[in-house]
Amino acid sequence: MDYDLAIVGAGPAGLVAARTAMEAGLSHCVLEAKHRIGGRAHTEQRHFGVPVDHGCHWLEGAEVNPFRAYADAHGIAYDREQRNERLFGSGVWCPPEDAAAFSDYADRVWEAGRDAAGTGRDVALAQVAPPDPRWGGLFGAWCAALTGFEPERVSTADLARYDERWGAWPVIDGYGALIARYGAGPRVQTDCPVHRIDWTGEGVVLDTGRGSITAKCALITVSTGVLAAGRIRFQPQLPAWKQDAIAGIAMGPAGKVIVGVRAGFIDLPDSQYLRFDNGSRHTAGYQVRPYGRELVIANLAGSFAAELESQGRDAMIEFVLSQMVEMFGSDLRHAVTGVDATAWCGDPHVLGGYSIARPGYAACRPLLGEPVGGRLFFAGEAVSLRAFGSAHGAYETARDAVHAVQVWLGTGKPPA
């Protein structure tokens, strides 16, 4: 065998797995289809001259997040300040009590979902949400921003497992930059997509764009979107229970539009968060002047994000600019200094934003992390029960998976 362990994917999970394998003394390789490492953690600075996260940006579970500790050790800045959010609707800035009323309604919906899960109900969040004609549309968009999908497509039982404690802090210097620095140690073969994994024999054979690689085990860290689309073929096929688990944990759409604006045009405090309430789910959330930078970052999610993305980059940008004109006036278009957009659904190496269980399929998530045949192991944010959709969820599952590989290599049996 060429290696003890072949790691497929160099997002946060793959990079953590590589570091863990190094610590354990396992010979390993990391195979990444993209030309870069980081996966959905990607910071870009060339376009606007300042760090912009095109993927994950928040240190979820910050107080216990190992990437936060890494940021501290390496002087990577993040923002712990909690800011009030502002609400814009019906052509005017809404009073603070409106924003508070929306937050109260959202809290009631989340609580209803947790109550349903507590009684064993794995149903759509929409089934248990208290009806509210005033806030229903905006909540649908907000739910998509948090989970990837609207309430009709989100499992109450899955949501209830998520650990909301420990804070969420945005990374000023870029979460993608943090991950890239963390991943600078392990050697990664980029531009090396894995097309097929043959686990017929005692080990595994991985057919890649650069030839075949053999290993005793493989750790697959790619998204469920990639697995569900069959971008990696397995020989023999994965068992039915594993295929069902992959199908049950969907990838919610997500995208961003970044707008550069002339200095001084937007008269709002730094890092102001805005919700645009137009009574529907066809809206975006906005981060304005993040950390004093003359940018507006619009977050699109859910079915509407997928719809806009299917229409192309220009449609995404025009939608965001039209909402910004309503908020800041028609002169906004003349104040724009640059635009950029990110669409994860169309990225062939990702095929979505982040994972969420379909209603009735919460039991699939634990199965995602189960080894197959003692030679195929799985990790990534979708595998995490309490921190799915986050880089630190990917971290924890990758560490656990490599430890399971160690057990297998030492005993010939997967862990109980």
Side-chain angles (χ1 to χ4, degrees), residues 109-176:
V109 177
W110 302 131
E111 188 61 33
R114 287 189 290 268
D115 288 346
T119 61
R121 299 179 65 195
D122 180 4
V123 298
L125 183 62
Q127 288 188 30
V128 299
D132 191 312
R134 174 67 179 90
W135 300 119
L138 184 61
F139 178 80
W142 178 232
C143 178
L146 291 179
T147 70
F149 278 121
E150 294 79 10
E152 291 80 6
R153 302 178 67 181
V154 173
S155 157
T156 53
D158 198 43
L159 278 181
R161 288 191 295 231
Y162 192 89
D163 189 346
E164 296 181 301
R165 299 173 296 171
W166 318 118
W169 305 333
V171 183
I172 296 172
D173 295 335
Y175 209 154

Side-chain angles (χ1 to χ4, degrees), residues 12-13 16 379-381 384 387 390-399:
V16 171
E381 59 89 1
S384 176
S390 73
H392 83 283
Y395 184 107
E396 293 167 351
T397 63
R399 296 278 294 188

